[in-house]
Amino acid sequence: MAISGALLLAFAFAHMVGNLKTFFGAEDLNSYAHWLRTIGEPVLHYAWFLWIQRVVLLIALVLHVTAAVQLVRRDRRARPVRYVHRRPVRATFAVRTMRWGGATLALFVVWHILDFTVGTVNRDFVAGDPYHNLVADFRVWWVNLIYLAALAMLGLHIHHGFASAARTLGVTSARRERAIKIFGSGMAVVVAGGYALVPVAVMTGLVH
């Protein structure tokens, strides 16, 4: 779960950086999108890199979800009978939302693909023009609500998941734990906030 999560986080960060090209205009963003399809040429054919990336990410996502389900089942098997008197556990909001927040993100990934890759839920979708599709989409207020809510879940997921993955992989220690938590929280703010900049900019007219 930690390894697949780290891979997904690396992609989320790189994808966020690429999205910020929106602020440089249509030509920059569309050129970047075209470049992604030419990575690896002439060894790879046109768009092969994108398809390899999609397959790897799909495998990572399936492994991540499978591991989450297995952990939930293992947790329930370890205590099949609930406590009669259970002392309330102190947990952060991020910890309490990891399970259903993860499910929300999985549904959002499907929506995102239908929105920007396939174009079936984007009423003004134009193939080969990601800048137009992005601006047209984020002019719709309820679409922005969907994306901003999903980004909030993403930030919480990274905030808790980063520290948990570090412990699982043996990266953390008593001395480094605080630094890792701070770095994970910072990563959550940077990734979720970086993505949120684009819909906010379109909503406010900064990008049009």
Side-chain angles (χ1 to χ4, degrees):
M1 189 170 194
I3 294 172
S4 60
L7 180 61
L8 292 169
L9 176 58
F11 169 77
F13 179 81
H15 189 46
M16 180 273 296
V17 172
N19 277 6
L20 293 179
K21 283 189 169 288
T22 302
F23 291 97
F24 294 98
E27 185 177 350
D28 268 64
L29 183 66
N30 290 346
S31 295
Y32 166 71
H34 175 74
W35 171 76
L36 290 175
R37 288 162 171 75
T38 61
I39 294 176
E41 290 185 343
V43 177
L44 300 177
H45 289 287
Y46 182 79
W48 274 26
F49 172 81
L50 269 184
W51 281 104
I52 292 171
Q53 177 182 260
R54 288 166 180 166
V55 170
V56 171
L57 289 172
L58 179 61
I59 293 172
L61 181 61
V62 170
L63 290 175
H64 199 68
V65 173
T66 301
V69 173
Q70 289 174 337
L71 287 173
V72 171
R73 289 179 176 176
R74 185 181 298 178
D75 183 42
R76 290 176 177 173
R77 283 198 301 267
R79 185 68 191 181
V81 180
R82 293 186 177 184
Y83 292 104
V84 177
H85 299 289
R86 184 176 182 179
R87 183 177 299 176
V89 178
R90 292 182 179 179
T92 64
F93 181 72
V95 173
R96 292 196 297 268
T97 58
M98 280 299 285
R99 290 177 184 175
W100 60 265
T104 301
L105 288 174
L107 291 174
F108 171 73
V109 168
V110 176
W111 168 272
H112 185 66
I113 292 171
L114 293 174
D115 195 7
F116 285 119
T117 303
V118 181
T120 55
V121 297
N122 189 334
R123 292 176 297 180
D124 199 18
F125 184 81
V126 177
D129 194 349
Y131 184 89
H132 166 83
N133 297 333
L134 184 148
V135 172
D137 210 34
F138 290 139
R139 282 176 177 165
V140 182
W141 67 270
W142 57 267
V143 172
N144 288 302
L145 289 182
I146 292 174
Y147 274 86
L148 293 176
L151 291 175
M153 289 295 101
L154 177 62
L156 290 170
H157 209 74
I158 295 172
H159 169 70
H160 176 67
F162 190 92
S164 297
R167 284 193 296 271
T168 300
L169 297 174
V171 176
T172 188
S173 66
R175 289 189 305 172
R176 293 197 293 260
E177 187 170 4
R178 179 174 173 79
I180 288 174
K181 286 183 177 179
I182 293 173
F183 185 83
S185 298
M187 179 65 72
V189 171
V190 168
V191 173
Y195 278 115
L197 284 175
V198 177
V200 170
V202 175
M203 278 191 294
T204 58
L206 182 61
V207 171
H208 51 81

